[in-house]
Amino acid sequence: MTKIDLIGMTLEAMQQLMVSVGEPNYRGNQLFTWVYKKRVDNLDQITVFSKDLRQQLAKKVDLELLDITKQQRSADGETTKFLFRLSDGAFVESVFMVDGKRRTVCISTQVGCALGCKFCATGKMGLLRNLSTGEMVGQLLTILKMLEVEATNLVLMGMGEPFLNYDNVKTACEIISHSDGIAIGKRKITVSTAGIVPGIKKFTDEQMGCKLAISLNAADNKTRSRLMPINRKYPLTELINAAKYYSAHSRHLFTFEYLMIAGVNDSIENARKLKKMLQGLRCKINIIPYNAVGEQWQPPREEQINRFITELLELKIIVSVRRSKGADIDAACGQLCHLSNQKKL
Ligand code: SF4
């Protein structure tokens, strides 16, 4: 009989499991807490269960964290990158970042990615498969156990497009945010999309409750399609309409991410187009200066970033600049993994 993985099971599924072995519902709540909050390594550590019950459960379920193949820490010690080997031999990456009191884990949602954004190592891999709910929750749990920390924030911004693995992402967020388990509140969880319009609408309609980030990166279709081929399927007008739909149905602001690349999307003209496009939208904009020196593109100059921001500030929206952390270990997801999955293929 194939065993079920406990990591990735919802509270309701654990309650059903316990009922199926003749136990009351509340035993499922205990199991949920011992797996996700107390983070036991094996069933024998669940001391509120009798030995008989633990043995009975052991015939039905597995409780295993993910297998860490590689771990890299940045020179300043603030960023640690993990490469995980999954049960079928595929690899995914996650990153743990410390910034003051904030401890953020960035997890992957797919092995590889079908969207092929030109600035992304994962995009070169193509899509191998979706991650299960357990593999997503497992990345977080494994990191928290390994580093013996609690995370304050979670971002689904690693390898893959979350809205192309929507149902598993949604369930993973439910488990992770549950107050009896890992308990990272939904407003501390950010789902980042490359602009999958039906996904944004579904996310809005279902009131998933997590924060939304949209990777924008250009204010004209020509540049955006060059950087992100998905723009041909969901061009800017549709994307902006989806963003407006979210705004109209949510009390929360969403964030546009703007990867700024020298000579590609960092001119004053680009800033003006962006300003026009964002007019009247309730959003924040997060500028991320491109930093992969030696690649096809170059980082923008500091004065160019400042001029760009000054132009946008006229919109009276929050404009922030995110300096990439852990540049010395290539903390942008996909680098280690691209090589590892290639070797496997
Ligand atoms: S940036 Fe995100 S959506 Fe684009 S190819 Fe990379 S993983 Fe996929």
PDB file of all heavy atoms in Angstrom, residues 138-162:
ATOM      1  N   GLY A 138       6.913  21.480   2.367  1.00  0.00           N
ATOM      2  CA  GLY A 138       8.149  20.792   2.771  1.00  0.00           C
ATOM      3  C   GLY A 138       9.380  21.675   2.642  1.00  0.00           C
ATOM      4  O   GLY A 138      10.289  21.607   3.468  1.00  0.00           O
ATOM      5  N   GLN A 139       9.437  22.517   1.611  1.00  0.00           N
ATOM      6  CA  GLN A 139      10.596  23.428   1.475  1.00  0.00           C
ATOM      7  C   GLN A 139      10.689  24.326   2.704  1.00  0.00           C
ATOM      8  O   GLN A 139      11.753  24.489   3.304  1.00  0.00           O
ATOM      9  CB  GLN A 139      10.438  24.316   0.235  1.00  0.00           C
ATOM     10  CG  GLN A 139      10.509  23.593  -1.089  1.00  0.00           C
ATOM     11  CD  GLN A 139      10.094  24.520  -2.228  1.00  0.00           C
ATOM     12  OE1 GLN A 139      10.715  25.545  -2.462  1.00  0.00           O
ATOM     13  NE2 GLN A 139       9.042  24.162  -2.945  1.00  0.00           N
ATOM     14  N   LEU A 140       9.542  24.888   3.083  1.00  0.00           N
ATOM     15  CA  LEU A 140       9.518  25.801   4.227  1.00  0.00           C
ATOM     16  C   LEU A 140       9.853  25.065   5.527  1.00  0.00           C
ATOM     17  O   LEU A 140      10.731  25.491   6.284  1.00  0.00           O
ATOM     18  CB  LEU A 140       8.130  26.458   4.309  1.00  0.00           C
ATOM     19  CG  LEU A 140       7.869  27.348   5.512  1.00  0.00           C
ATOM     20  CD1 LEU A 140       8.817  28.534   5.538  1.00  0.00           C
ATOM     21  CD2 LEU A 140       6.423  27.842   5.507  1.00  0.00           C
ATOM     22  N   LEU A 141       9.152  23.950   5.763  1.00  0.00           N
ATOM     23  CA  LEU A 141       9.366  23.216   7.025  1.00  0.00           C
ATOM     24  C   LEU A 141      10.807  22.748   7.161  1.00  0.00           C
ATOM     25  O   LEU A 141      11.399  22.825   8.234  1.00  0.00           O
ATOM     26  CB  LEU A 141       8.472  21.969   7.045  1.00  0.00           C
ATOM     27  CG  LEU A 141       7.157  22.016   7.799  1.00  0.00           C
ATOM     28  CD1 LEU A 141       6.572  20.625   7.903  1.00  0.00           C
ATOM     29  CD2 LEU A 141       7.320  22.619   9.185  1.00  0.00           C
ATOM     30  N   THR A 142      11.379  22.266   6.074  1.00  0.00           N
ATOM     31  CA  THR A 142      12.752  21.759   6.123  1.00  0.00           C
ATOM     32  C   THR A 142      13.717  22.883   6.496  1.00  0.00           C
ATOM     33  O   THR A 142      14.610  22.706   7.321  1.00  0.00           O
ATOM     34  CB  THR A 142      13.145  21.134   4.760  1.00  0.00           C
ATOM     35  OG1 THR A 142      12.159  20.174   4.410  1.00  0.00           O
ATOM     36  CG2 THR A 142      14.503  20.452   4.823  1.00  0.00           C
ATOM     37  N   ILE A 143      13.511  24.055   5.899  1.00  0.00           N
ATOM     38  CA  ILE A 143      14.388  25.198   6.211  1.00  0.00           C
ATOM     39  C   ILE A 143      14.224  25.628   7.670  1.00  0.00           C
ATOM     40  O   ILE A 143      15.210  25.842   8.383  1.00  0.00           O
ATOM     41  CB  ILE A 143      14.093  26.377   5.249  1.00  0.00           C
ATOM     42  CG1 ILE A 143      14.566  26.017   3.849  1.00  0.00           C
ATOM     43  CG2 ILE A 143      14.754  27.669   5.727  1.00  0.00           C
ATOM     44  CD1 ILE A 143      14.208  27.035   2.784  1.00  0.00           C
ATOM     45  N   LEU A 144      12.990  25.715   8.131  1.00  0.00           N
ATOM     46  CA  LEU A 144      12.760  26.151   9.514  1.00  0.00           C
ATOM     47  C   LEU A 144      13.386  25.177  10.506  1.00  0.00           C
ATOM     48  O   LEU A 144      13.983  25.576  11.503  1.00  0.00           O
ATOM     49  CB  LEU A 144      11.254  26.291   9.792  1.00  0.00           C
ATOM     50  CG  LEU A 144      10.495  27.308   8.932  1.00  0.00           C
ATOM     51  CD1 LEU A 144       9.042  27.429   9.387  1.00  0.00           C
ATOM     52  CD2 LEU A 144      11.161  28.680   8.971  1.00  0.00           C
ATOM     53  N   LYS A 145      13.266  23.886  10.218  1.00  0.00           N
ATOM     54  CA  LYS A 145      13.850  22.879  11.116  1.00  0.00           C
ATOM     55  C   LYS A 145      15.368  22.901  11.066  1.00  0.00           C
ATOM     56  O   LYS A 145      16.059  22.864  12.071  1.00  0.00           O
ATOM     57  CB  LYS A 145      13.339  21.483  10.719  1.00  0.00           C
ATOM     58  CG  LYS A 145      12.108  21.098  11.477  1.00  0.00           C
ATOM     59  CD  LYS A 145      11.966  19.610  11.632  1.00  0.00           C
ATOM     60  CE  LYS A 145      12.883  19.073  12.681  1.00  0.00           C
ATOM     61  NZ  LYS A 145      12.274  18.396  13.784  1.00  0.00           N
ATOM     62  N   MET A 146      15.860  22.977   9.848  1.00  0.00           N
ATOM     63  CA  MET A 146      17.305  22.933   9.632  1.00  0.00           C
ATOM     64  C   MET A 146      18.002  24.123  10.322  1.00  0.00           C
ATOM     65  O   MET A 146      19.021  23.967  10.976  1.00  0.00           O
ATOM     66  CB  MET A 146      17.524  23.012   8.107  1.00  0.00           C
ATOM     67  CG  MET A 146      18.919  23.124   7.661  1.00  0.00           C
ATOM     68  SD  MET A 146      19.631  21.493   7.702  1.00  0.00           S
ATOM     69  CE  MET A 146      21.332  21.931   7.580  1.00  0.00           C
ATOM     70  N   LEU A 147      17.424  25.318  10.165  1.00  0.00           N
ATOM     71  CA  LEU A 147      18.049  26.525  10.722  1.00  0.00           C
ATOM     72  C   LEU A 147      17.557  26.843  12.137  1.00  0.00           C
ATOM     73  O   LEU A 147      18.049  27.786  12.755  1.00  0.00           O
ATOM     74  CB  LEU A 147      17.781  27.729   9.807  1.00  0.00           C
ATOM     75  CG  LEU A 147      18.284  27.632   8.363  1.00  0.00           C
ATOM     76  CD1 LEU A 147      17.916  28.890   7.583  1.00  0.00           C
ATOM     77  CD2 LEU A 147      19.800  27.420   8.310  1.00  0.00           C
ATOM     78  N   GLU A 148      16.578  26.066  12.587  1.00  0.00           N
ATOM     79  CA  GLU A 148      15.974  26.299  13.915  1.00  0.00           C
ATOM     80  C   GLU A 148      15.526  27.740  14.073  1.00  0.00           C
ATOM     81  O   GLU A 148      15.950  28.465  14.982  1.00  0.00           O
ATOM     82  CB  GLU A 148      16.948  25.893  15.023  1.00  0.00           C
ATOM     83  CG  GLU A 148      17.250  24.415  14.995  1.00  0.00           C
ATOM     84  CD  GLU A 148      18.186  23.973  16.092  1.00  0.00           C
ATOM     85  OE1 GLU A 148      18.901  24.826  16.637  1.00  0.00           O
ATOM     86  OE2 GLU A 148      18.194  22.779  16.390  1.00  0.00           O
ATOM     87  N   VAL A 149      14.712  28.186  13.119  1.00  0.00           N
ATOM     88  CA  VAL A 149      14.188  29.562  13.144  1.00  0.00           C
ATOM     89  C   VAL A 149      12.686  29.532  12.881  1.00  0.00           C
ATOM     90  O   VAL A 149      12.133  28.500  12.500  1.00  0.00           O
ATOM     91  CB  VAL A 149      14.825  30.442  12.030  1.00  0.00           C
ATOM     92  CG1 VAL A 149      16.262  30.772  12.325  1.00  0.00           C
ATOM     93  CG2 VAL A 149      14.661  29.792  10.662  1.00  0.00           C
ATOM     94  N   GLU A 150      12.066  30.677  13.086  1.00  0.00           N
ATOM     95  CA  GLU A 150      10.700  30.895  12.633  1.00  0.00           C
ATOM     96  C   GLU A 150      10.767  31.902  11.492  1.00  0.00           C
ATOM     97  O   GLU A 150      11.628  32.790  11.516  1.00  0.00           O
ATOM     98  CB  GLU A 150       9.823  31.467  13.761  1.00  0.00           C
ATOM     99  CG  GLU A 150       9.534  30.489  14.888  1.00  0.00           C
ATOM    100  CD  GLU A 150       8.718  29.286  14.441  1.00  0.00           C
ATOM    101  OE1 GLU A 150       7.900  29.426  13.513  1.00  0.00           O
ATOM    102  OE2 GLU A 150       8.916  28.195  15.014  1.00  0.00           O
ATOM    103  N   ALA A 151       9.885  31.780  10.526  1.00  0.00           N
ATOM    104  CA  ALA A 151       9.856  32.771   9.442  1.00  0.00           C
ATOM    105  C   ALA A 151       8.748  33.773   9.724  1.00  0.00           C
ATOM    106  O   ALA A 151       7.694  33.406  10.242  1.00  0.00           O
ATOM    107  CB  ALA A 151       9.603  32.076   8.114  1.00  0.00           C
ATOM    108  N   THR A 152       9.007  35.046   9.405  1.00  0.00           N
ATOM    109  CA  THR A 152       7.955  36.053   9.556  1.00  0.00           C
ATOM    110  C   THR A 152       7.191  36.225   8.241  1.00  0.00           C
ATOM    111  O   THR A 152       6.047  36.661   8.252  1.00  0.00           O
ATOM    112  CB  THR A 152       8.553  37.425   9.942  1.00  0.00           C
ATOM    113  OG1 THR A 152       9.506  37.803   8.930  1.00  0.00           O
ATOM    114  CG2 THR A 152       9.238  37.379  11.289  1.00  0.00           C
ATOM    115  N   ASN A 153       7.853  35.920   7.130  1.00  0.00           N
ATOM    116  CA  ASN A 153       7.251  36.148   5.812  1.00  0.00           C
ATOM    117  C   ASN A 153       7.553  34.991   4.872  1.00  0.00           C
ATOM    118  O   ASN A 153       8.587  34.333   5.004  1.00  0.00           O
ATOM    119  CB  ASN A 153       7.816  37.424   5.169  1.00  0.00           C
ATOM    120  CG  ASN A 153       7.485  38.668   5.961  1.00  0.00           C
ATOM    121  OD1 ASN A 153       7.988  38.876   7.052  1.00  0.00           O
ATOM    122  ND2 ASN A 153       6.616  39.486   5.413  1.00  0.00           N
ATOM    123  N   LEU A 154       6.661  34.810   3.928  1.00  0.00           N
ATOM    124  CA  LEU A 154       6.872  33.785   2.899  1.00  0.00           C
ATOM    125  C   LEU A 154       6.581  34.412   1.546  1.00  0.00           C
ATOM    126  O   LEU A 154       5.597  35.147   1.403  1.00  0.00           O
ATOM    127  CB  LEU A 154       5.908  32.611   3.131  1.00  0.00           C
ATOM    128  CG  LEU A 154       5.960  31.513   2.070  1.00  0.00           C
ATOM    129  CD1 LEU A 154       7.195  30.634   2.270  1.00  0.00           C
ATOM    130  CD2 LEU A 154       4.717  30.637   2.118  1.00  0.00           C
ATOM    131  N   VAL A 155       7.429  34.147   0.563  1.00  0.00           N
ATOM    132  CA  VAL A 155       7.119  34.597  -0.798  1.00  0.00           C
ATOM    133  C   VAL A 155       7.144  33.394  -1.739  1.00  0.00           C
ATOM    134  O   VAL A 155       8.021  32.544  -1.653  1.00  0.00           O
ATOM    135  CB  VAL A 155       8.077  35.714  -1.305  1.00  0.00           C
ATOM    136  CG1 VAL A 155       7.844  37.005  -0.568  1.00  0.00           C
ATOM    137  CG2 VAL A 155       9.526  35.336  -1.179  1.00  0.00           C
ATOM    138  N   LEU A 156       6.139  33.323  -2.595  1.00  0.00           N
ATOM    139  CA  LEU A 156       6.111  32.269  -3.615  1.00  0.00           C
ATOM    140  C   LEU A 156       6.616  32.928  -4.893  1.00  0.00           C
ATOM    141  O   LEU A 156       5.848  33.427  -5.717  1.00  0.00           O
ATOM    142  CB  LEU A 156       4.702  31.701  -3.771  1.00  0.00           C
ATOM    143  CG  LEU A 156       4.254  30.812  -2.608  1.00  0.00           C
ATOM    144  CD1 LEU A 156       3.754  31.636  -1.442  1.00  0.00           C
ATOM    145  CD2 LEU A 156       3.208  29.827  -3.034  1.00  0.00           C
ATOM    146  N   MET A 157       7.932  32.998  -4.974  1.00  0.00           N
ATOM    147  CA  MET A 157       8.584  33.806  -5.988  1.00  0.00           C
ATOM    148  C   MET A 157       9.806  33.064  -6.518  1.00  0.00           C
ATOM    149  O   MET A 157      10.656  33.637  -7.169  1.00  0.00           O
ATOM    150  CB  MET A 157       9.024  35.118  -5.310  1.00  0.00           C
ATOM    151  CG  MET A 157       8.961  36.343  -6.152  1.00  0.00           C
ATOM    152  SD  MET A 157       9.471  37.766  -5.165  1.00  0.00           S
ATOM    153  CE  MET A 157       7.925  38.561  -4.815  1.00  0.00           C
ATOM    154  N   GLY A 158       9.926  31.784  -6.126  1.00  0.00           N
ATOM    155  CA  GLY A 158      11.069  30.998  -6.573  1.00  0.00           C
ATOM    156  C   GLY A 158      10.821  30.454  -7.968  1.00  0.00           C
ATOM    157  O   GLY A 158      10.244  31.136  -8.820  1.00  0.00           O
ATOM    158  N   MET A 159      11.227  29.219  -8.187  1.00  0.00           N
ATOM    159  CA  MET A 159      11.054  28.638  -9.522  1.00  0.00           C
ATOM    160  C   MET A 159       9.567  28.386  -9.790  1.00  0.00           C
ATOM    161  O   MET A 159       8.860  27.869  -8.937  1.00  0.00           O
ATOM    162  CB  MET A 159      11.785  27.302  -9.586  1.00  0.00           C
ATOM    163  CG  MET A 159      13.239  27.405  -9.236  1.00  0.00           C
ATOM    164  SD  MET A 159      13.936  25.766  -9.099  1.00  0.00           S
ATOM    165  CE  MET A 159      13.770  25.213 -10.781  1.00  0.00           C
ATOM    166  N   GLY A 160       9.143  28.731 -11.002  1.00  0.00           N
ATOM    167  CA  GLY A 160       7.784  28.393 -11.409  1.00  0.00           C
ATOM    168  C   GLY A 160       6.812  29.547 -11.319  1.00  0.00           C
ATOM    169  O   GLY A 160       7.081  30.584 -10.708  1.00  0.00           O
ATOM    170  N   GLU A 161       5.675  29.367 -11.971  1.00  0.00           N
ATOM    171  CA  GLU A 161       4.597  30.363 -11.975  1.00  0.00           C
ATOM    172  C   GLU A 161       3.472  29.832 -11.079  1.00  0.00           C
ATOM    173  O   GLU A 161       2.778  28.875 -11.429  1.00  0.00           O
ATOM    174  CB  GLU A 161       4.119  30.572 -13.421  1.00  0.00           C
ATOM    175  CG  GLU A 161       2.773  31.244 -13.572  1.00  0.00           C
ATOM    176  CD  GLU A 161       2.641  32.586 -12.856  1.00  0.00           C
ATOM    177  OE1 GLU A 161       3.470  33.470 -13.058  1.00  0.00           O
ATOM    178  OE2 GLU A 161       1.676  32.728 -12.057  1.00  0.00           O
ATOM    179  N   PRO A 162       3.263  30.473  -9.906  1.00  0.00           N
ATOM    180  CA  PRO A 162       2.279  29.956  -8.943  1.00  0.00           C
ATOM    181  C   PRO A 162       0.880  29.761  -9.533  1.00  0.00           C
ATOM    182  O   PRO A 162       0.196  28.792  -9.211  1.00  0.00           O
ATOM    183  CB  PRO A 162       2.251  31.017  -7.842  1.00  0.00           C
ATOM    184  CG  PRO A 162       3.514  31.781  -7.995  1.00  0.00           C
ATOM    185  CD  PRO A 162       3.955  31.663  -9.408  1.00  0.00           C
TER     186      PRO A 162
END
